[in-house]
């Protein structure tokens, strides 16, 4: 199995988590905004739409390998922020899941998107 194929699979698997959670947020944005408001975050509806945009458009960008390293850095910032804001200390499983995702994104940054990507075309 080629490294390029494995990098494609890695990009898809990393993106799936965000696409699967981000797409339904489009119609359920008010509920998520309420959750963000309960955390004391400012402008919860604006933050909600920024999260939706990152999850959906960033997820698609990862799948096709467009601006892969830049998108990976954005997801790293998102994962670290949500680990501490949304998970620590009440949900340590969620916290460590986010930290593990950071590791996956760092590996993707180090390896690049592979030949099966828009970035390499």
């Amino acid at each position: 199995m080629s490294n390029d194929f494995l990098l494609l699979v890695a990009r898809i698997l990393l993106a799936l988590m965000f696409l699967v959670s981000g797409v339904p947020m489009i119609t359920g944005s008010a509920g998520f905004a309420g959750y963000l408001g309960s955390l004391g975050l400012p402008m919860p509806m604006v933050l909600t739409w920024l999260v939706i945009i990152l999850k959906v458009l960033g997820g698609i960008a990862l799948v096709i390998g467009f601006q892969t390293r830049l998108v990976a850095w954005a997801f790293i910032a998102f994962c670290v922020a949500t680990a501490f804001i949304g998970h620590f200390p009440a949900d340590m499983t969620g916290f460590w899941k986010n930290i593990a995702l950071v590791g996956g994104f760092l590996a993707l940054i180090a390896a690049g998107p592979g030949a099966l990507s828009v970035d390499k075309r």
Side-chain angles (χ1 to χ4, degrees):
M1 201 170 305
S2 77
N3 283 347
D4 292 320
F5 178 74
L6 292 174
L7 286 166
L8 171 63
V9 171
R11 292 194 330 262
I12 291 169
L13 292 175
L14 284 166
L16 272 176
M17 173 177 226
F18 297 98
L19 288 168
V20 167
S21 64
V23 170
M25 289 176 73
I26 294 169
T27 58
S29 60
F32 186 68
Y35 168 69
L36 293 179
S38 76
L39 296 175
L41 295 173
M43 301 183 309
M45 190 52 84
V46 172
L47 288 176
T48 294
W49 282 102
L50 290 174
V51 168
I52 291 169
I53 290 167
L54 176 62
K55 285 184 168 191
V56 175
L57 295 183
I60 292 168
L62 277 182
V63 169
I64 65 173
F66 177 72
Q67 295 293 315
T68 306
R69 287 184 167 108
L70 179 64
V71 172
W73 281 114
F75 274 121
I76 286 171
F78 177 77
C79 288
V80 169
T82 57
F84 284 98
I85 294 169
H87 297 292
F88 188 83
D91 175 18
M92 291 308 289
T93 300
F95 174 84
W96 289 114
K97 178 245 339 159
N98 279 25
I99 300 304
L101 284 167
V102 168
F105 286 119
L106 287 172
L108 189 57
I109 290 167
L116 302 174
S117 66
V118 172
D119 288 346
K120 294 297 181 176
R121 298 276 174 227

